[in-house]
Amino acid sequence: LTCRGLVSSASRPREDSWLKSLFVRKVDPRKDAHSNLLAKRETSSLYKLQIHNVKPECLDAYNKLCQEVLPKIHEEKHYPCALVGTWNTWYGEQDQAVHLWRYEGGYPALNEVMSKLRQNKEFTEFRKERGNMLLSRKNQLLLEFSFWNEPVPREGPNIYELRSYQLRPGTMIEWGNYWARAIRFRQDNNEAVGGFFSQIGQLYMVHHLWAYKDLQTREDIRNAAWHKPGWDELVYYTVPLIQEMESRIMIPLKISPLQ
């Protein structure tokens, strides 16, 4: 009986925490589509994440070509899109380029841009030349979480970390509810750049984008989060929602608005 009492009292804080977690949820997954519940309502921005695996011997030429052509698309006023950031992966999968675009106006804006680019001879030639340099490519269409910062241009130098999570199907609402609280622990040093979830492409994917001065600063900031009351509990409840996760450390190209 004594042992049973000790076990019961020791487990009670964890049980209490679990019970509390049930009452802090802010969205009901039964009431609407996940995209409507979790995405920013004040904007209709759609994001496209492009990941290109480049032939190792072509990376320099690929970067040069992108730096010549991509700013022209970004600067054209009749294209309702903006280049948010463009990087090379430094640690993670090598010889990789990552581009993030914003389409202001959602799917109609995306369709408008794609239609105009198909008629743009310079862009057609760019894609043909670029294709000869690639091993593979993939993209995803994303929405941004309502509780994350809007990704805006920032001065450098910075390194960027793209943390990608493959969630278990059916857990996106839980993830959003936990991270709506967790993000408060990670804003002291202005490291939070943006948070997104997939709509088309690989589904139940979450991407968190962070900026740091260097790798040591990243380590210090991440370690400091564990000293804040409540962070450990949020990690405890979000880890079981994950099937796979990946971290990329990225270096911005000269044309990237995120430096």
Side-chain angles (χ1 to χ4, degrees), residues 11 31 70 86 88 100 102 111 157 165 222 248 258:
S11 63
K31 301 228 180 239
L70 294 186
T86 178
N88 285 156
L100 183 63
R102 179 194 295 116
N111 292 336
Y165 303 88
R222 288 178 56 81
R248 291 178 178 87
L258 288 169

Side-chain angles (χ1 to χ4, degrees), residues 42 109 143 160 197 213 229 231-232 259:
E42 62 271 21
L143 296 176
Y160 288 82
F197 59 99
K213 180 181 177 182
W231 173 256
D232 58 340
Q259 282 295 310

Side-chain angles (χ1 to χ4, degrees), residues 151-189:
V152 296
R154 68 171 64 197
E155 296 180 355
N158 295 293
I159 62 169
Y160 288 82
E161 181 176 19
L162 182 65
R163 295 179 70 88
S164 301
Y165 303 88
Q166 177 68 62
L167 302 186
R168 291 191 296 106
T171 61
M172 187 66 73
I173 291 292
E174 288 182 81
W175 180 274
N177 279 324
Y178 285 127
W179 263 95
R181 291 180 291 154
I183 192 62
R184 299 197 302 266
F185 295 93
R186 297 295 310 277
Q187 293 179 321
D188 292 347
N189 299 281

Side-chain angles (χ1 to χ4, degrees), residues 111-125:
N111 292 336
E112 181 182 347
V113 171
M114 294 299 102
S115 177
K116 289 179 177 178
L117 287 179
R118 281 194 291 267
Q119 302 173 33
N120 186 318
K121 292 183 179 180
E122 183 179 11
F123 184 76
T124 301
E125 289 299 317

Side-chain angles (χ1 to χ4, degrees), residues 37-227:
L37 293 170
L38 294 172
K40 278 186 170 65
R41 294 181 180 272
E42 62 271 21
T43 66
S44 57
S45 294
L46 180 71
Y47 290 81
K48 180 167 70 176
L49 179 68
Q50 296 176 301
I51 298 177
H52 293 167
N53 291 310
V54 185
K55 296 176 182 178
E57 67 274 15
C58 296
L59 186 60
D60 289 341
Y62 173 93
N63 288 339
K64 182 179 178 181
L65 182 65
C66 287
Q67 291 180 139
E68 290 174 353
V69 177
L70 294 186
K72 297 179 183 179
I73 303 171
H74 172 58
E75 292 168 0
E76 288 285 352
K77 294 182 179 180
H78 63 285
Y79 288 124
C81 68
L83 181 64
V84 177
T86 178
W87 304 268
N88 285 156
T89 299
W90 185 23
Y91 287 102
E93 195 164 350
Q94 297 294 282
D95 305 306
Q96 189 176 77
V98 178
H99 309 287
L100 183 63
W101 294 85
R102 179 194 295 116
Y103 297 87
E104 299 174 4
Y107 293 107
L110 173 67
N111 292 336
E112 181 182 347
V113 171
M114 294 299 102
S115 177
K116 289 179 177 178
L117 287 179
R118 281 194 291 267
Q119 302 173 33
N120 186 318
K121 292 183 179 180
E122 183 179 11
F123 184 76
T124 301
E125 289 299 317
F126 160 73
R127 287 197 63 183
K128 183 177 179 180
E129 186 176 354
R130 184 190 68 183
N132 294 329
M133 303 178 184
L134 300 181
L135 293 170
S136 65
R137 61 194 180 100
K138 67 177 181 179
N139 59 28
Q140 292 179 338
L141 295 180
L142 314 171
L143 296 176
E144 56 185 333
F145 284 110
S146 60
F147 47 84
W148 269 79
N149 301 337
E150 183 84 12
V152 296
R154 68 171 64 197
E155 296 180 355
N158 295 293
I159 62 169
Y160 288 82
E161 181 176 19
L162 182 65
R163 295 179 70 88
S164 301
Y165 303 88
Q166 177 68 62
L167 302 186
R168 291 191 296 106
T171 61
M172 187 66 73
I173 291 292
E174 288 182 81
W175 180 274
N177 279 324
Y178 285 127
W179 263 95
R181 291 180 291 154
I183 192 62
R184 299 197 302 266
F185 295 93
R186 297 295 310 277
Q187 293 179 321
D188 292 347
N189 299 281
N190 196 33
E191 72 267 24
V193 178
F196 314 91
F197 59 99
S198 62
Q199 286 290 283
I200 295 178
Q202 191 170 355
L203 299 179
Y204 282 96
M205 284 291 297
V206 169
H207 301 282
H208 292 174
L209 184 60
W210 309 91
Y212 304 101
K213 180 181 177 182
D214 51 39
L215 286 174
Q216 186 58 56
T217 302
R218 170 188 176 273
E219 182 75 1
D220 294 341
I221 290 175
R222 288 178 56 81
N223 286 339
W226 288 96
H227 297 288

